[in-house]
Amino acid sequence: MLASLCRVAAATAIAGTPSPWAPAPDAALDVYETALRSTIDPSSLRTFHDALGREPHIAGTDGDWRVIEWLEDSFRTMGLAVERHEFWAYLARPVDARVELVTPIRHSFRLREETLDADPDTAHPELEIGFNAYSGNGDVTAEVVYVNRGRREDFITLRELGVDLRGKIALARYGGNYRGYKAKYAEEAGAAGLIIYTDPADSGYGRGLPYPEGGWANGTSIQRGSIKTIAYSGDPLTPFRPATRDAERLDPAAVALPNIPVQPVGWSVAEAIMRRMTGRALPPALVKEWQGGLPFAYRVEGGADLRVRVMVEQERRLVHTANVIATLEGARNPDELVIIGCHHDAWGFGAGDPLAGLIAVTEAARVMADAARNGLRPARSVAFAAWGAEEHGIVGSVEWCEANADRLTRNAVAYINLDAAAMGPRFGASAAPSLKSVITEVSRRVPAADGRGTVFEQLTRDQATPGYGALGGGSDHIGFYCHLGIPACGLNGRGGQGTAYHSNYDTVAWYRRVVGSDYEPARMITAMAVGVAANLASGPIVPLDPARYVTDGRAQVDALRERAATLGIEIDLGAVTAGIDRFEEALTAATAVRGRLGVGAPSAAADRVSGLLREIDRAWIDEGGLAGRPWFRNLFAASDPYSGYAAWLLPALRQAVERRDAAAIRVQADRYVAVFDRLTALTDRLTVALNAM
């Protein structure tokens, strides 16, 4: 029986019975959680939304600084200690852009959303044209090639078809990968320029009525966004070090930023171009995957008679902006830190992205500060963070992580990310393995936003167990999780009937029409965030679950074997599996002791146990990082280097498998054996520490 306890701990946490490592039943913690949940106020969330979403606030603009100052004033009014962390980052802003039909007719397209009488904010003078930050500057006129979603496999398909992109303008639709990789692969294929458009099948009339009648993209909706794809997150010129005013910086010419002009457009522009394409039709085998929602058959090539002009001029320069971090000091272990965060910058008003998350961070700060004034204060400190310049490539949070790396490595318990979190009533989460159990336990007590039971019941309506995603790229967890090894999670509510993602239509009016004006999704997200934070910050033993690394580790080894078989290569991961077995055996003893202890009492012994649980997450950090991406040091998880957003688990091995490199597979397998040996040694120490309680 004892030999199976570790597997039982991980399995029962998923199946419904709490893991021994999950928060133990605790009357005092129940009182605290209940007090926090009961004071979350939809009218407060609405007020925060009005204040934060009143004007456009791209990073470094006057509007951005007004948001920063509002956050500082609000957090101080709550009684929190406020830090303004300033940084100077290399950002991009638009100067001018053109997309034109040159032949068979001459026509210049509008590159800004149309203004709407139903939403006066869409006429705000500070709204920018559509742009992809870090586009190369250039002015090209050329034939057009449709590249589907601009994924790596799409360009491979075009090469196999004999389609030559050299000197052509690539036309890609959004989706399938991070937009920066569309630009990277187009440039590598020899394209002279790139147009990226929003296809109506993905987020326009193929999904429902367009805005303002409905909530989906209309023909002029333009998705803005960064296209930076360098091998690290944060400021492009200061990898591994904070971007202070006087920091030593790389030469911009030495940084692999895009060189070709890249311009995003709405589907009405794409329709006018693609309707005139007369070249090679889609091969029948590609129609199902490559045909979008425009009302004609898509083609691969435009033909010699169709020529399009793309001109982009952007300014890249150092921009001064800031993070805002407000801290509620812990009563017993103030140096230990749980962080709840979301970025504050936006491409326009940002009512959904980021403010649907930032209002939850702000409300979480308010209710936890109020509880502290009423005598309910967590043992560990809780920080509420609003990050700057996330939209340009996860800049502000990474700069804070790099500036505070030693302190965070020693003392951070976890990071809870709420980027654009409250976008609908359906709860979801992506998380490090060690945080899945605490999320599940909190979900049992939080009402679902749709009014049908708890979040846990919502998560298990259509499946036996809650399912959580893996953290990949694309948001502010990256610096904490992938660089420093601090466990992180992203909480979200989805299911709203529409999208205004990164467009000038992402206004408070759009949000209330599409997501709703009752702010129930934001209440749910706030309740989940404060519940997870309260559990992580309050218990004598921090509720990080090491058993999930056994089940998740085994699952990923199996997935790698399957991937290798698909690629036609043989791999031997027996040594890695044996390492997992040794870790599981050590964890069995620790789990048995933990199961007998219950809540425990605050003590130096409990602090030692909590410290060892934090070290288990840090054991995945390897100073050498990933091959070609040394900034990514977490050997458990990293972003997919071919798509950007997706997660690669056991990424050093995954990369070697994808490259079909037998020698590299053996080397990386040895690194993972070393990780599991570190985990085993830490777990042996954990058992000793638990027995001393």
Side-chain angles (χ1 to χ4, degrees):
M1 178 179 175
L2 189 63
S4 65
L5 268 176
C6 180
R7 281 196 182 95
V8 169
T12 56
I14 304 171
T17 303
S19 162
W21 300 98
D26 182 344
L29 183 56
D30 287 347
V31 169
Y32 186 31
E33 272 195 75
T34 301
L36 295 174
R37 284 197 305 273
S38 66
T39 53
I40 297 169
D41 185 355
S43 67
S44 174
L45 289 157
R46 184 185 182 98
T47 298
F48 293 153
H49 213 183
D50 284 332
L52 290 163
R54 65 184 176 224
E55 64 179 324
H57 47 281
I58 294 176
T61 62
D62 290 345
D64 184 44
W65 280 105
R66 282 188 284 272
V67 166
I68 290 167
E69 290 164 0
W70 183 92
L71 288 163
E72 290 174 332
D73 291 344
S74 297
F75 287 141
R76 286 196 185 97
T77 300
M78 296 172 191
L80 301 172
V82 177
E83 171 199 0
R84 175 188 286 189
H85 174 248
E86 300 183 5
F87 58 93
W88 286 257
Y90 191 62
L91 307 184
R93 289 289 303 277
V95 176
D96 195 10
R98 297 279 190 277
V99 173
E100 297 176 350
L101 280 171
V102 177
T103 60
I105 64 169
R106 192 87 188 191
H107 181 75
S108 184
F109 296 105
R110 176 185 173 93
L111 299 180
R112 187 193 307 265
E113 289 85 346
E114 65 179 351
T115 59
L116 303 172
D117 291 341
D119 187 349
D121 280 346
T122 60
H124 197 288
E126 295 301 315
L127 289 170
E128 293 278 13
I129 61 171
F131 74 107
N132 287 129
Y134 301 107
S135 166
N137 288 335
D139 189 340
V140 298
T141 299
E143 296 176 27
V144 173
V145 175
Y146 172 59
V147 299
N148 191 27
R149 298 193 184 277
R151 301 168 301 179
R152 181 169 174 256
E153 55 265 40
D154 294 330
F155 284 96
I156 291 172
T157 296
L158 290 168
R159 187 167 64 246
E160 291 171 347
L161 290 173
V163 176
D164 186 0
L165 275 101
R166 289 176 297 178
K168 308 285 180 62
I169 292 172
L171 179 63
R173 56 177 172 152
Y174 272 114
N177 61 356
Y178 163 58
R179 69 189 75 81
Y181 283 94
K182 302 177 194 294
K184 174 182 171 67
Y185 297 139
E187 185 170 332
E188 289 176 351
L194 171 66
I195 297 170
I196 314 177
Y197 79 98
T198 299
D199 195 284
D202 300 321
S203 53
Y205 56 72
R207 302 291 301 280
L209 290 172
Y211 191 60
E213 186 178 3
W216 297 97
N218 65 37
T220 68
S221 299
I222 302 173
Q223 183 191 135
R224 293 147 181 82
S226 173
I227 54 172
K228 174 168 71 75
T229 58
I230 51 183
Y232 48 89
S233 290
D235 172 42
L237 304 187
T238 58
F240 294 96
R241 56 183 177 270
T244 59
R245 185 199 301 267
D246 301 319
E248 180 182 350
R249 288 179 162 83
L250 300 176
D251 181 348
V255 179
L257 294 171
N259 294 299
I260 63 173
V262 180
Q263 179 61 40
V265 299
W267 54 258
S268 62
V269 174
E271 180 177 21
I273 295 171
M274 296 174 74
R275 186 181 291 279
R276 291 176 169 83
M277 294 175 71
T278 58
R280 188 187 322 196
L282 285 177
L286 295 184
V287 170
K288 183 176 181 180
E289 188 176 357
W290 286 48
Q291 175 70 40
L294 293 172
F296 45 77
Y298 286 22
R299 295 176 179 269
V300 175
E301 294 174 296
D305 293 337
L306 175 62
R307 293 176 65 80
V308 172
R309 178 191 179 205
V310 177
M311 186 280 288
V312 174
E313 182 183 357
Q314 291 186 8
E315 177 188 40
R316 299 174 183 172
R317 62 181 177 86
L318 290 183
V319 172
H320 177 210
T321 184
N323 302 315
V324 179
I325 300 94
T327 302
L328 175 65
E329 186 172 283
R332 184 175 184 276
N333 306 95
D335 290 341
E336 297 176 15
L337 191 63
V338 176
I339 305 122
I340 306 174
C342 175
H343 66 99
H344 62 71
D345 65 304
W347 292 118
F349 288 91
D353 184 6
L355 299 184
L358 188 57
I359 59 173
V361 174
T362 310
E363 180 69 353
R366 186 189 69 79
V367 300
M368 294 192 84
D370 284 352
R373 280 194 295 274
N374 291 321
L376 296 173
R377 183 179 292 270
R380 302 173 185 89
S381 296
V382 180
F384 307 91
W387 310 115
E390 186 269 359
E391 295 291 9
H392 280 78
I394 326 298
V395 178
S397 58
V398 166
E399 298 311 314
W400 193 72
C401 285
E402 290 177 342
N404 296 277
D406 291 342
R407 177 170 71 95
L408 292 170
T409 298
R410 285 193 310 272
N411 297 324
V413 175
Y415 174 65
I416 302 166
N417 196 43
L418 301 184
D419 188 1
M423 297 299 291
R426 188 177 67 248
F427 179 80
S430 297
S434 57
L435 292 178
K436 293 178 181 179
S437 291
V438 67
I439 294 170
T440 295
E441 292 314 302
V442 171
S443 76
R444 299 176 192 275
R445 299 183 288 275
V446 172
D450 61 7
R452 297 168 56 200
T454 65
V455 168
F456 180 83
E457 290 167 337
Q458 184 188 75
L459 288 169
T460 55
R461 277 177 202 154
D462 301 320
Q463 55 191 25
T465 61
Y468 302 122
L471 288 169
S475 196
D476 288 303
H477 62 273
I478 286 278
F480 295 93
Y481 189 42
C482 297
H483 187 58
L484 298 181
I486 295 161
C489 63
L491 309 182
N492 64 75
R494 296 292 180 259
Q497 292 303 299
T499 180
Y501 181 62
H502 287 191
S503 78
N504 285 349
Y505 295 135
D506 190 7
T507 63
V508 172
W510 175 90
Y511 182 91
R512 289 176 181 159
R513 180 182 187 90
V514 175
V515 181
S517 59
D518 61 4
Y519 286 85
E520 285 302 319
R523 186 212 292 260
M524 174 184 70
I525 292 299
T526 307
M528 285 297 302
V530 297
V532 172
N535 278 269
L536 290 167
S538 299
I541 297 176
V542 67
L544 297 172
D545 187 352
R548 291 303 297 258
Y549 282 118
V550 172
T551 50
D552 289 17
R554 288 193 193 282
Q556 293 312 312
V557 168
D558 290 343
L560 284 171
R561 289 190 175 112
E562 291 178 11
R563 179 60 179 161
T566 299
L567 295 173
I569 59 174
E570 293 185 6
I571 60 173
D572 180 3
L573 299 181
V576 178
T577 300
I580 297 174
D581 290 341
R582 291 190 295 274
F583 173 43
E584 181 178 27
E585 184 177 354
L587 197 52
T588 296
T591 300
V593 181
R594 179 68 187 97
R596 293 196 299 267
L597 286 176
V599 176
S603 65
D607 291 344
R608 283 192 291 274
V609 169
S610 292
L612 287 165
L613 287 167
R614 293 199 302 273
E615 284 189 54
I616 285 174
D617 278 291
R618 306 299 194 274
W620 289 94
I621 290 294
D622 187 298
E623 292 300 327
L626 303 182
R629 297 197 294 166
W631 188 88
F632 287 85
R633 304 186 307 155
N634 189 331
L635 294 188
F636 186 81
S639 58
D640 177 348
Y642 298 129
S643 73
Y645 286 137
W648 268 13
L649 303 182
L650 307 188
L653 262 174
R654 175 70 185 274
Q655 182 167 300
V657 168
E658 292 294 332
R659 293 177 177 177
R660 298 175 171 85
D661 187 334
I665 290 169
R666 290 191 293 272
V667 170
Q668 300 307 327
D670 288 344
R671 293 177 82 188
Y672 282 97
V673 171
V675 169
F676 283 107
D677 285 347
R678 290 197 294 271
L679 291 170
T680 300
L682 283 167
T683 304
D684 287 340
R685 292 169 56 197
L686 179 63
T687 302
V688 172
L690 285 163
N691 277 315
M693 286 187 64

